[in-house]
């Protein structure tokens, strides 16, 4: 099984190819550093950049791996949560490619991507386990029973940890992006 993955939940365009026998074959990211001028992500600029960069990035991944797009089994894309205008660009690209090449299209929940990304490592946790997500606007403590069976046992009520870090960084004069 070979899956083309498309990630556009915020300001980075991510394209990857996953092979169930070899793991992640390639993962290319276009980072939108233009947002540093504004101190944070501007949604309409992010979606415009996704629209301009997604097809060239998909072509780059296909060319680098020399995988015929007809050999791809399915196309997965981030379906949310995230910036709706950015998510729309990724979903449109994925659904268009899936239609053109008659492939299944798999919507992926962004938070489930964070929870289950640990399963790509050599040292996998045993179920049940606790997952802590601190990503952008999300801070969640999750009890994971099994694949796609989990319960949020705690989450922030107002600002997420990531947003709090951004606000503190701005107050002490650190520039965006903070990596």
């Amino acid at each position: 099984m070979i899956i083309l993955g498309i990630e556009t939940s915020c300001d980075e365009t991510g394209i990857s190819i996953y092979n169930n026998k070899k793991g992640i074959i390639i993962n290319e990211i276009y980072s939108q550093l233009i947002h540093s001028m504004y101190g944070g992500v501007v949604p309409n600029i992010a979606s415009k950049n996704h629209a301009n960069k997604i097809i060239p990035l998909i072509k780059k991944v296909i060319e680098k791996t020399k995988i015929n797009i007809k050999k791809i089994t399915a196309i997965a894309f981030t379906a949310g949560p995230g910036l709706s205008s950015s998510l729309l660009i990724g979903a449109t690209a994925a659904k268009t490619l899936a239609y053109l090449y008659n492939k299944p299209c798999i919507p992926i929940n962004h938070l489930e991507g964070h929870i289950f990304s640990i399963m790509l490592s050599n040292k996998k946790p045993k179920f049940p386990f606790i997952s802590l997500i601190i990503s952008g606007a999300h801070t969640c403590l999750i009890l994971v029973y099994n694949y796609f069976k989990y319960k949020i046992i705690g989450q922030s009520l107002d600002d997420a940890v990531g947003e709090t870090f951004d606000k503190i960084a701005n107050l002490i004069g650190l520039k965006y992006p903070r990596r």
Side-chain angles (χ1 to χ4, degrees), residues 10-12 32 35-36 38-46 83 86 176:
C10 192
D11 64 324
E12 292 186 325
Q32 298 183 24
H35 299 284
S36 62
Y38 306 102
V41 177
V42 180
N44 65 320
I45 293 173
L83 298 175
S86 291
Y176 178 90

Side-chain angles (χ1 to χ4, degrees), residues 68-102:
N68 185 328
I69 199 159
K70 293 177 184 177
K71 300 273 187 196
I72 290 173
T73 312
I75 300 168
F77 67 97
T78 306
L83 298 175
S84 57
S85 56
S86 291
L87 291 166
L88 182 62
I89 301 301
T92 301
K95 290 178 180 184
T96 301
L97 288 169
Y99 177 79
L100 286 173
Y101 295 99
N102 195 29

Side-chain angles (χ1 to χ4, degrees), residues 157-177:
L157 297 175
D158 48 20
D159 279 350
V161 171
E163 291 172 347
T164 304
F165 282 146
D166 285 344
K167 288 177 181 179
I168 292 168
N170 283 334
L171 285 173
I172 63 173
L174 295 176
K175 301 234 183 281
Y176 178 90

